[in-house]
Amino acid sequence: MRDFAIVVAADAKLGIGLDGTLPWKLPGDIAYFKRLTVEAPEGMRNAVIMGRRTYVSIPVRFRPLADRLNVVLTRTGAEAPAPDVLMASSFDSALSQVQQQPHVHHVFVIGGGKVYRQALTHPRCTALYVTRVHGSFACDTFFPEFHETFRLVTETGVQHDDGIAYRFEVYERI
């Protein structure tokens, strides 16, 4: 099986969502997410693995996420809603399906909370791309603590969108 990375935006308390949505609007983070998960060598594309609730939370006009292989985890046995979407009943099944795709460059796990918990402890998870949102927001979903198994390798300066400060951090498994 291939290695993968996690992409997440989290506040100071590792809050990542409220009622199935992001608790902030950060156009710079959305642009970073798109650039990170789309850029691949010619003839290749990246895969994004997400839970069903995360997939449904994406505005209809943006799903499936363009220029990426979308893999949706669901226990319902639902059929793929679009040609560029694979359905998987487990996290390992999702990785196995991606492995069978000949032109996948990188694999990114993009949420939600339950999927992040599975991915973070998986031995193939090698990196975290964290948008660290300054401050604490009302959240009901949280990213697991990860500092014991991952170390910070790079971070950017502080960015600002709509009065909210944030920075981009990259971690690798220790």
Side-chain angles (χ1 to χ4, degrees), residues 9-10 14-24 137-143:
L14 297 178
I16 60 171
L18 178 64
D19 296 328
T21 64
L22 294 173
W24 46 72
F137 292 75
C139 292
D140 58 15
T141 307
F142 295 85
F143 192 74

Side-chain angles (χ1 to χ4, degrees), residues 22-141:
L22 294 173
W24 46 72
K25 295 212 182 302
L26 303 173
D29 178 50
I30 298 298
Y32 173 76
F33 171 84
K34 183 176 181 181
R35 191 171 50 255
L36 179 66
T37 61
V38 168
E39 287 182 1
E42 189 173 330
M44 303 287 284
R45 66 181 172 165
N46 296 323
V48 289
I49 298 174
M50 69 196 91
R52 182 192 55 79
R53 288 182 191 155
T54 297
Y55 183 79
V56 170
S57 75
I58 298 168
V60 173
R61 70 182 185 274
F62 295 120
R63 67 177 190 237
L65 295 174
D67 304 318
R68 289 153 280 194
L69 174 64
N70 290 236
V71 183
V72 179
L73 295 172
T74 180
R75 289 184 292 264
T76 66
E79 291 191 26
D84 246 8
V85 177
L86 299 177
M87 305 302 277
S89 60
S90 71
F91 191 75
D92 282 332
S93 172
L95 290 176
S96 179
Q97 287 188 52
V98 169
Q99 183 73 28
Q100 296 172 24
Q101 301 298 313
H103 302 291
V104 171
H105 183 57
H106 290 303
V107 179
F108 298 99
V109 173
I110 63 169
K114 291 178 185 176
V115 177
Y116 282 142
R117 280 191 292 283
Q118 290 179 322
L120 194 61
T121 59
H122 197 284
R124 291 292 186 188
C125 180
T126 59
L128 308 177
Y129 293 88
V130 179
T131 300
R132 179 71 66 181
V133 182
H134 297 203
S136 295
F137 292 75
C139 292
D140 58 15
T141 307

